[in-house]
Amino acid sequence: MEFALQYEIQRSRPHYPGFMYDIYHQATEQVKLADVLGYHSVWTVEHHFLSEWSYSSAPEVWYGALSQVTKRIRLGHGICLLPIPFNHPARVAERIAVLDIMSNGRVEFGSGRSITEQELGGFQVNPEDSRAMWEEAVAAIPKMWMQETYSHDGKFFKMPEREVIPKPIQKPHPPMWVAATQPATWEIAGQKGIGALGFGISEPGMLDKLIAVYKKAIKTCEPVGAFVNDKTAAATICVCAPTREEAKVIAKDAIDFTTRKAAELFTPFAKQEIKGYEYYKKMAEQAVAIGDYRMSLADLDKRIESGSVMVGDPEDCLKVAKIYEAAGIDMLLMLVQVGAVPHDKVMQTIDLIGKHVMPKLSASSRTYQAEAAAAAGR
């Protein structure tokens, strides 16, 4: 199993002048450390209008900067929004290709359709069209990369024959993924032969069934790209410290924040009936029913033991990681910059996981760290 960082570029209130500058530059330092420690990849979202939750509205710009200050860590779009009011497919193809060139072939291309009313409404996307918009775009983009010229006459976008340039340096193209935030998307990912990024539904126990659905679907897939990417990933909040008690103190407010904010984001769906978003209506109704979102430290202990959060000392975190590995996950996406967790504590998490957890489960991490140690000793 590989280990990766997942970013919303997040900061809960209270805010202070300059906090947006800080969270971007701090996240850059965090990724540089992850690069040195041998993490597989870093992933970040594309979100709009979601104050506190995410300030990552132009991830391709941040990734351009990261490509120049890192050497080996892969850069994953987790995800790029494909309904055309957000992004034209040709512009996506161009941006991904340039990033692939500037990073020397380190791009992972994840896509999706958006799951919040704030974003869909802000860009005037009809939610009931969003899946069809994504399907049309995700099938077109790899053709733009592989064909010398490309034209399109579809329902949601039309394009006369043009040479979409430049082309990515990974051949035939970068690996493709989709955000699998609701159960139905795991099957769709398998049918299209692309990797599943398990955001939201990532607790062990639930994952086993979803992975089984994905693996069954991918056996008879019709790939949208030139090759099948049969990998799965799951996301979890991660706070690692020398002791469980310290980690719990750091993590509690951050987890409470994510519970509160997620409820706010999905609440608009509670009063609507939208085709394709029935799962989010159910989530919204459950969030409203929770009421008091604040958990006790005893509740946090239960969540640690169940594996639903990766919080504690390195041994605690290793146990949780093993649960995900046993479920069949290929890559664990760790949200480390959560709420208002201080930068030094995020760096501590990345360092402890990289040195004490990753080498025990990731063969590529062991190899990289051994090679780095040998090079340092020369």
Side-chain angles (χ1 to χ4, degrees):
M1 186 173 70
E2 300 289 359
F3 289 76
L5 300 183
Q6 167 70 24
Y7 280 87
E8 300 280 349
I9 308 295
Q10 195 170 85
R11 178 70 191 200
S12 58
R13 291 188 174 92
H15 292 159
Y16 60 88
F19 81 92
M20 295 185 198
Y21 177 95
D22 284 351
I23 56 177
Y24 266 102
H25 286 271
Q26 289 168 359
T28 300
E29 292 303 310
Q30 293 156 18
V31 175
K32 287 165 65 177
L33 175 61
D35 185 44
V36 171
L37 290 171
Y39 281 72
H40 173 269
S41 50
V42 55
W43 298 75
T44 195
V45 300
E46 176 191 341
H47 276 316
H48 305 276
F49 320 128
L50 305 185
S51 180
E52 288 191 280
W53 185 260
S54 176
Y55 293 87
S56 181
S57 54
E60 67 279 359
V61 178
W62 185 45
Y63 273 174
L66 288 182
S67 74
Q68 301 305 292
V69 296
T70 58
K71 294 181 178 179
R72 58 167 305 282
I73 196 167
R74 295 185 66 79
L75 306 175
H77 275 272
I79 48 74
C80 178
L81 298 173
L82 292 192
I84 199 165
F86 292 116
N87 293 294
H88 191 286
R91 292 289 291 120
V92 174
E94 292 166 346
R95 293 200 304 260
I96 296 298
V98 171
L99 179 60
D100 204 47
I101 291 167
M102 296 304 296
S103 66
N104 291 314
R106 289 187 277 145
V107 176
E108 302 274 334
F109 174 57
S111 64
R113 60 180 178 137
S114 180
I115 59 172
T116 71
E117 189 281 331
Q118 291 93 322
E119 295 170 287
L120 293 163
F123 280 88
Q124 296 293 286
V125 179
N126 182 342
E128 294 190 355
D129 288 336
S130 65
R131 188 183 297 284
M133 287 178 168
W134 170 77
E135 289 181 330
E136 188 172 331
V138 80
I141 290 169
K143 294 182 176 67
M144 295 178 185
W145 287 328
M146 294 185 291
Q147 297 176 189
E148 185 175 346
T149 60
Y150 180 79
S151 63
H152 188 82
D153 185 14
K155 180 178 180 180
F156 297 105
F157 83 97
K158 300 180 187 299
M159 179 176 151
E161 188 167 357
R162 293 291 185 271
E163 185 179 2
V164 182
I165 51 176
K167 306 297 186 185
I169 64 173
Q170 291 183 86
K171 300 302 180 187
H173 56 72
M176 297 176 68
W177 303 73
V178 63
T181 312
Q182 62 172 316
T185 312
W186 287 78
E187 184 173 16
I188 292 169
Q191 291 169 345
K192 295 187 180 298
I194 56 181
L197 295 166
F199 303 134
I201 313 168
S202 59
E203 293 188 13
M206 299 172 66
L207 276 173
D208 306 63
K209 296 177 181 178
L210 295 172
I211 293 171
V213 168
Y214 173 81
K215 295 296 185 183
K216 180 180 179 181
I218 210 164
K219 288 179 181 178
T220 56
C221 70
E222 296 182 7
V224 292
F227 62 93
V228 174
N229 178 24
D230 63 349
K231 304 298 183 184
T232 60
T236 185
I237 290 173
C238 181
V239 176
C240 191
T243 68
R244 180 188 282 202
E245 292 309 309
E246 180 185 340
K248 285 165 58 180
V249 170
I250 298 167
K252 182 186 177 303
D253 286 347
I255 296 172
D256 284 346
F257 163 74
T258 61
T259 305
R260 170 181 67 81
K261 200 64 184 177
E264 291 178 10
L265 294 178
F266 289 117
T267 296
F269 286 116
K271 300 178 181 179
Q272 302 181 61
E273 296 289 343
I274 302 174
K275 185 179 179 181
Y277 284 79
E278 295 86 355
Y279 175 78
Y280 302 109
K281 177 179 173 62
K282 181 180 177 182
M283 284 185 65
E285 291 170 343
Q286 291 174 344
V288 171
I290 289 174
D292 189 349
Y293 57 84
R294 293 166 297 184
M295 65 178 173
S296 67
L297 290 176
D299 290 333
L300 179 51
D301 271 319
K302 292 177 183 177
R303 295 186 70 176
I304 294 170
E305 294 301 329
S306 72
S308 63
V309 292
M310 194 169 173
V311 173
D313 62 23
E315 199 58 36
D316 287 321
C317 292
L318 177 61
K319 289 178 183 176
V320 173
K322 285 182 175 179
I323 293 173
Y324 283 96
E325 182 186 48
I329 285 296
D330 297 300
M331 180 166 57
L332 187 58
L333 305 168
M334 297 174 293
L335 290 104
V336 291
Q337 187 204 54
V338 185
V341 174
H343 172 56
D344 64 317
K345 300 304 181 184
V346 176
M347 295 288 274
Q348 175 177 262
T349 290
I350 295 169
D351 186 64
L352 290 173
I353 296 293
K355 291 178 178 176
H356 303 290
V357 178
M358 275 172 32
K360 296 180 180 179
L361 296 178
S362 169
S364 64
S365 170
R366 287 194 298 272
T367 300
Y368 173 77
Q369 291 188 14
E371 291 173 350
R378 292 189 188 120

